[in-house]
C-alpha cells in the first residue's frame, strides 16, 4: 500500500453521499436471496436477468475486493453496514485468502523468525488471472446475471481493474476506495515507485522477509515492536486507538501474492467506456497519498475521455473505512 511533492489534479470536493465449501455456501445463499426476483430470467440468459432485476426495482448487489493481506472477514464491518441499509453485499476471498489461507507454524508463538524469513510462501504461484477468475465467479453467483457494483480497496483495485477489463457487461458501476487504478502507470509496482507515492508512511515500515526469497509480500502483523506498531498506526489508522490498530492488524494474513503487484493491470478503454466509475479519495490516508490517488484518477480520465471518474472525498484513513464503516456504506449505498 505509499513521498510526492507534486500534487495531482485538483478535483472539486463533492458532498459526501450518503469448489470450496464456504464459497459454495455463499453462492447458494446469494442465489436463494435473489431467486424470487430473477430466478426465471437466469434460466433464460444474462440479458433477461438484467431486465428482470432492473425492472423489479431491485438495486444491484455489492461485491467488495479486499486490499493487501486482507480477506472477506476483514471487510465484515463494511459488509454489515451495507446489509443494514438493505443492500446485498459480499466480500471476496481471493485465492489463498480467508479459509484457504496458510498460517504457518512460524507465525504462531513462539515465532520461528528464521522460517519467517526463508520459508517459501504457499501462495507463491497465485497470479492476477487467478484473482480475476475468483471475483468473476462470485459476481455471477451474487448478481444472478445482473450487473453488480464492484468495489476495490487498496491493492484490491488492481484485481478490480482487471475484472472490468474482462466482464464489463457484469459491472453496473466500479468503485475504487483509495484503490490502485492503473492506466499510464501499468502496474502497482510502477505506482509505488512513482514520485507521487514518495510520502507514503508505509515506506517507513520494512518488510518482514525478502520477497525474492519467500516468493511473496510477507509481513509479521503479530509483531510487538513498538516502533513498527507506531509506524503502522501512522500509515493505516492514525486516528484510531492502539487497541483498534492491533485489532485491525490481527485480521490480516502474513503473505500476499507478489505477482499482482508486478503484472500489467491497466485499464482497457474499449471495456471501460461501458462502465460508470467512482473514485472515493480518503483524504487522511497516509499509506496511499492523495497525490497518487489524484494521478491515477487523472490518468484514467485521459485514457478513457468522455467518461471521467466521479470523485467523492471521505475524511477517513486507510483502514478507517473498516473500523468505522457507516459513512463509507452511506456513500456506496447512494451510488447504485
Amino acid at each position: 500500500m505509499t513521498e510526492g511533492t507534486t500534487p495531482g489534479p485538483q478535483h472539486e470536493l463533492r458532498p459526501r453521499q450518503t469448489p470450496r465449501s464456504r464459497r459454495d455456501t455463499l453462492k447458494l445463499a446469494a442465489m436463494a436471496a435473489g431467486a424470487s426476483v430473477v430466478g426465471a430470467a437466469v434460466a433464460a440468459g444474462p440479458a433477461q436477468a438484467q431486465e428482470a432485476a432492473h425492472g423489479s426495482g431491485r438495486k444491484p448487489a455489492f461485491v467488495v475486493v479486499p486490499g493487501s493481506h486482507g480477506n472477506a472477514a476483514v471487510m465484515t464491518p463494511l459488509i454489515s453496514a451495507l446489509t443494514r441499509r438493505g443492500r446485498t453485499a459480499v466480500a471476496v476471498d481471493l485465492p489463498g485468502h480467508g479459509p484457504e489461507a496458510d498460517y504457518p507454524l512460524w507465525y504462531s508463538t513462539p515465532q520461528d523468525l528464521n522460517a519467517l524469513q526463508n520459508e517459501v510462501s504457499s501462495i507463491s504461484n497465485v497470479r492476477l488471472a487467478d484473482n480475476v477468475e475468483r471475483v468473476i465467479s462470485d459476481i455471477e453467483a451474487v448478481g444472478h446475471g445482473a450487473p453488480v457494483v464492484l468495489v476495490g480497496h487498496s491493492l484490491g483495485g488492481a484485481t478490480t481493474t482487471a475484472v472490468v477489463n474482462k466482464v464489463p457487461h457484469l459491472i453496473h458501476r466500479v468503485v475504487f476506495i483509495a484503490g490502485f487504478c492503473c492506466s499510464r502507470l501499468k502496474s502497482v509496482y510502477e505506482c509505488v515507485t512513482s514520485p507521487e507515492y514518495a510520502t507514503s508512511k508505509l515506506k517507513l515500515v520494512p518488510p518482514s522477509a525478502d520477497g525474492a526469497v519467500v516468493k511473496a509480500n510477507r509481513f509479521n502483523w503479530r509483531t510487538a515492536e513498538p516502533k513498527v506498531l507506531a509506524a503502522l498506526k501512522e500509515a493505516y489508522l492514525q486516528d484510531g486507538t492502539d487497541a483498534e490498530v492491533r485489532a485491525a492488524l490481527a485480521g490480516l494474513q502474513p503473505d500476499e501474492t507478489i505477482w499482482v503487484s508486478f503484472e500489467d493491470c491497466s485499464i482497457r478503454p474499449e471495456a471501460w467506456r461501458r462502465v460508470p466509475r467512482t473514485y472515493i479519495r480518503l483524504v487522511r490516508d497516509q499509506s496511499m497519498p492523495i497525490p497518487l490517488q489524484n494521478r491515477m484518477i487523472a490518468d484514467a480520465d485521459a485514457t478513457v475521455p468522455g467518461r471521467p471518474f466521479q470523485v467523492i472525498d471521505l475524511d477517513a484513513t486507510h483502514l478507517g473505512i473498516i473500523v468505522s464503516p457507516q459513512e463509507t456504506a452511506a456513500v456506496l449505498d447512494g451510488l447504485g
Side-chain angles (χ1 to χ4, degrees):
M1 296 182 198
T2 77
E3 228 168 66
T5 56
T6 304
Q10 298 303 307
H11 289 264
E12 177 185 0
L13 297 184
R14 315 270 176 113
R16 297 181 189 130
Q17 302 176 11
T18 16
R20 311 187 200 284
S21 58
R22 179 187 177 280
R23 296 187 64 248
D24 291 342
T25 301
L26 179 151
K27 290 181 179 181
L28 289 171
M31 290 176 180
S36 61
V37 179
V38 295
V42 169
Q48 290 86 345
Q50 294 180 30
E51 181 180 353
H54 294 161
S56 70
R58 176 174 174 262
K59 293 184 176 180
F62 288 95
V63 174
V64 180
V65 184
S68 182
H69 299 267
N71 49 48
V74 168
M75 304 305 296
T76 296
L78 178 58
I79 298 302
S80 296
L82 284 167
T83 57
R84 285 195 296 270
R85 300 180 73 89
R87 303 302 295 268
T88 298
V90 299
V92 179
D93 277 320
L94 296 172
H97 293 69
E100 302 172 18
D102 182 18
Y103 291 87
L105 289 177
W106 54 254
Y107 198 52
S108 302
T109 54
Q111 290 188 323
D112 182 342
L113 298 184
N114 179 65
L116 183 153
Q117 294 171 1
N118 292 284
E119 187 174 291
V120 173
S121 174
S122 63
I123 61 171
S124 61
N125 293 322
V126 173
R127 308 298 293 251
L128 179 62
D130 301 312
N131 284 0
V132 170
E133 181 180 350
R134 176 64 56 83
V135 174
I136 292 175
S137 175
D138 284 359
I139 287 173
E140 292 173 338
V142 175
H144 313 288
V148 304
V149 178
L150 181 62
V151 182
H153 177 234
S154 193
L155 182 65
T159 295
T160 295
T161 305
V163 170
V164 177
N165 286 343
K166 191 167 184 178
V167 290
H169 60 287
L170 293 181
I171 313 301
H172 174 80
R173 176 178 291 274
V174 62
V175 183
F176 295 83
I177 306 178
F180 286 100
C181 179
C182 297
S183 53
R184 293 181 174 178
L185 297 171
K186 300 294 185 183
S187 67
V188 172
Y189 176 76
E190 289 186 21
C191 290
V192 300
T193 54
S194 69
E196 291 82 6
Y197 187 82
T199 57
S200 173
K201 299 297 185 181
L202 281 180
K203 298 187 75 172
L204 303 176
V205 183
S208 299
D210 184 345
V213 174
V214 302
K215 312 298 183 186
N217 290 322
R218 177 170 293 172
F219 195 81
N220 184 9
W221 303 106
R222 294 177 180 172
T223 181
E225 291 290 334
K227 289 184 178 180
V228 175
L229 288 171
L232 289 170
K233 178 179 180 179
E234 186 66 19
Y236 287 138
L237 195 65
Q238 69 267 32
D239 56 344
T241 66
D242 290 348
E244 287 174 331
V245 173
R246 291 195 299 272
L249 299 179
L252 301 179
Q253 304 177 192
D255 286 357
E256 182 58 70
T257 173
I258 201 169
W259 299 110
V260 170
S261 294
F262 289 97
E263 293 184 81
D264 185 332
C265 59
S266 56
I267 65 178
R268 296 176 183 170
E270 64 275 13
W272 281 67
R273 291 189 186 99
R274 303 171 57 182
V275 181
R277 60 182 188 265
T278 299
Y279 200 102
I280 299 177
R281 293 188 303 190
L282 304 181
V283 299
R284 287 190 290 128
D285 196 331
Q286 296 298 310
S287 64
M288 178 78 83
I290 283 290
L292 180 57
Q293 295 183 58
N294 284 340
R295 173 162 184 189
M296 291 187 294
I297 293 166
D299 284 354
D301 288 353
T303 301
V304 190
R307 189 183 277 277
F309 263 115
Q310 173 194 23
V311 180
I312 298 173
D313 287 278
L314 280 183
D315 184 26
T317 55
H318 200 73
L319 293 184
I321 65 157
I322 299 169
V323 175
S324 300
Q326 292 77 16
E327 188 173 12
T328 307
V331 169
L332 291 172
D333 188 21
L335 293 178

